[in-house]
Amino acid sequence: MEDLTTRSGQTTASFEGAAFVEDGSRVAGSLRVLEGTLEFKPNASDQHLIQMPLENLDISAGGNQNRLIYFKSPARSGISIYTTDRSILKEPALQKPHLQPAIKKIVGRHRRVKGGYWTLAAVTLGLVVGAWLGRGLLFKAAIDQIPPEAEVKLGELVEKNLTSSMSVVQDPVVNEGIDTMTKPLLEVAESPFPFKFQVVHHQDVNAFAIPGGSIFIHSALLQKADSAEEVAGVLAHEMAHVIHRHGTQLLVRRIGLYVLIGAMFGDTQGLIAALADQGGFLLSQKFSRDFERQADETGFNLLVKADIDPRGMLSFFRRIKEFQEEQMSETEQSAMAVMGTHPATDERIEFIQQKIDELPPDRKFQKIPLDIQKIQRRISLPE
Ligand SMILES: [Zn+2]
């Protein structure tokens, strides 16, 4: 908070914050409480000032641990302004009888939540220690309490946030190809999550899953693949991340259980604010080695069950590793981008090789009826 001097010579405090405007986008700026009006001034000079009359002003707390103070007004429907600076509640202009019940409720609620926060901190600490001792089983047990439908809703929010900055491939030939590769996997996967696959234009060789079943495939991954079996191997691995709720576990660690639980019960503003602040973090976030191992194992089993040759998974990892080494000698930075969230390590390659060796020697698999080059030609076409 900083003091600004108004024309009349009085000082008016300014509070850092942001506004969600009619189209759902977030605008950063600062708040001031003037006599009769709450004023929001965007940081960007090309954005308009937002004013809300104090009469009918709706004040509420929300977001992570109710740290955000929201202001809404029927006079400016579709807009909400917020700040994390709680000292705004002490502004003289807000000390009006009609606003006091809401302010008292927030201050009281904050105290209660603080108590709850420490209980949660103790539980979390217990879970972390438990996870360390019990190989994540206790933590997983806590995640398992989240109903799948809530996780799907959460995933929709994350997806909306991600796809706004990505270019999704709409080509029916590409999407039919993805259907052909994933159909056998979908038939055998036992999952409460509805899987959905989308190809996005991206030059890094990668694929990633978000909570609730949405899986994104970078166009460069399809370009680098030699067969449909190789792509299916990566997709089975991603499906395994969804089935084991790895993304949700990561989100819980990253933005806190409160925000997620709030979002699952309809208070989505905190999550939207967190995602707006940390957009794309899922893309850059690495899963632990344990998660990767688990996704490799479950993915491998899915492939075998679906009658898809798991050697595709192995050959793709081997090629990615060669490619990584090749790139490493040129520039280390671009190498980091290759399968950034899924490094092809010797350990993983050995593990999959071992699983293949354990298969009966006469085990035969169905060939996926898809020419991968057909998809590759479509992707390389200019838009
Ligand atoms: Zn992975």
Side-chain angles (χ1 to χ4, degrees):
M1 155 176 148
E2 57 178 303
D3 285 325
L4 295 176
T5 306
T6 60
R7 264 166 295 171
S8 60
Q10 289 174 307
T11 60
T12 308
S14 164
F15 303 85
E16 258 182 62
F20 286 112
V21 293
E22 289 94 337
D23 66 0
S25 63
R26 179 180 171 276
V27 177
S30 57
L31 291 73
R32 286 199 301 164
V33 191
L34 307 171
E35 200 54 50
T37 320
L38 175 79
E39 189 184 275
F40 177 78
K41 190 169 175 285
N43 291 338
S45 55
D46 59 340
Q47 303 262 12
H48 293 294
L49 197 75
I50 300 170
Q51 290 183 312
M52 285 183 181
L54 295 189
E55 176 195 341
N56 297 331
L57 187 70
D58 174 40
I59 311 176
S60 61
N64 190 2
Q65 297 156 36
N66 280 319
R67 274 192 321 206
L68 307 183
I69 310 297
Y70 285 102
F71 299 94
K72 285 172 220 160
S73 164
R76 301 303 308 263
S77 67
I79 298 183
S80 54
I81 301 173
Y82 72 85
T83 177
T84 52
D85 192 341
R86 305 180 71 86
S87 57
I88 195 169
L89 297 174
K90 295 186 187 127
E91 279 297 276
L94 288 182
Q95 310 313 309
K96 300 273 183 345
H98 75 282
L99 298 173
Q100 279 307 298
I103 292 175
K104 283 213 175 90
K105 201 176 148 197
I106 294 169
V107 176
R109 191 177 170 191
H110 188 60
R111 286 200 193 105
R112 281 203 305 278
V113 169
K114 258 193 171 159
Y117 174 68
W118 285 111
T119 312
L120 184 79
V123 171
T124 308
L125 183 67
L127 286 174
V128 170
V129 173
W132 181 60
L133 293 173
R135 293 182 159 204
L137 288 177
L138 279 177
F139 190 77
K140 179 71 170 40
I143 299 287
D144 285 345
Q145 298 306 307
I146 299 171
E149 310 78 63
E151 200 170 320
V152 169
K153 268 194 206 133
L154 172 76
E156 281 166 8
L157 282 171
V158 175
E159 183 179 335
K160 214 172 142 195
N161 189 268
L162 283 175
T163 46
S164 62
S165 61
M166 295 191 306
S167 147
V168 179
V169 175
Q170 306 285 2
D171 189 328
V173 174
V174 174
N175 291 329
E176 270 167 37
I178 299 295
D179 286 348
T180 307
M181 288 187 272
T182 53
K183 194 169 165 266
L185 291 167
L186 294 175
E187 278 166 6
V188 298
E190 283 162 32
S191 161
F193 303 108
F195 288 104
K196 176 176 157 193
F197 299 88
Q198 294 178 83
V199 180
V200 291
H201 289 287
H202 206 294
Q203 59 185 18
D204 295 342
V205 179
N206 208 357
F208 62 94
I210 60 175
S214 230
I215 292 170
F216 291 89
I217 308 151
H218 284 181
S219 50
L221 185 139
L222 295 172
Q223 297 286 28
K224 286 272 174 263
D226 251 0
S227 67
E229 278 73 15
E230 289 193 351
V231 179
V234 176
L235 298 183
H237 171 96
E238 292 307 324
M239 287 169 71
H241 277 312
V242 172
I243 293 167
H244 293 299
R245 308 178 118 177
H246 289 159
T248 308
Q249 295 184 50
L250 209 70
L251 267 175
V252 167
R253 287 188 183 132
R254 178 83 188 204
I255 57 182
L257 204 51
Y258 266 116
V259 173
L260 290 193
I261 289 174
M264 286 163 185
F265 288 97
D267 176 14
T268 55
Q269 278 172 316
L271 178 67
I272 293 168
L275 290 176
D277 284 342
Q278 312 178 37
F281 70 86
L282 277 169
L283 298 168
S284 57
Q285 193 79 29
K286 279 192 174 66
F287 284 135
S288 68
R289 274 164 75 176
D290 282 351
F291 280 7
E292 291 304 341
R293 161 67 70 98
Q294 198 180 23
D296 283 343
E297 177 154 36
T298 302
F300 184 97
N301 294 340
L302 266 176
L303 289 167
V304 172
K305 216 170 152 190
D307 209 13
I308 296 173
D309 196 336
R311 275 171 285 241
M313 197 183 204
L314 184 67
S315 67
F316 195 63
F317 275 176
R318 283 217 172 107
R319 210 132 36 76
I320 287 299
K321 190 165 175 287
E322 276 166 28
F323 190 57
Q324 277 173 336
E325 283 163 357
E326 216 173 275
Q327 293 280 299
M328 193 68 85
S329 53
E330 287 169 25
T331 147
E332 271 190 40
Q333 263 201 325
S334 58
M336 296 307 287
V338 179
M339 292 293 274
T341 48
H342 297 99
T345 61
D346 288 331
E347 193 190 338
R348 293 179 69 192
I349 290 169
E350 266 167 44
F351 176 70
I352 297 165
Q353 180 66 64
Q354 194 190 320
K355 296 266 295 174
I356 288 171
D357 294 343
E358 286 166 10
L359 289 171
D362 55 348
R363 180 74 161 92
K364 296 274 184 292
F365 296 94
Q366 287 281 335
K367 182 102 190 73
I368 299 176
L370 176 79
D371 175 10
I372 193 78
Q373 289 182 350
K374 197 173 149 196
I375 289 190
Q376 289 167 339
R377 280 193 295 269
R378 299 293 293 213
I379 289 175
S380 56
L381 287 176
E383 289 274 294

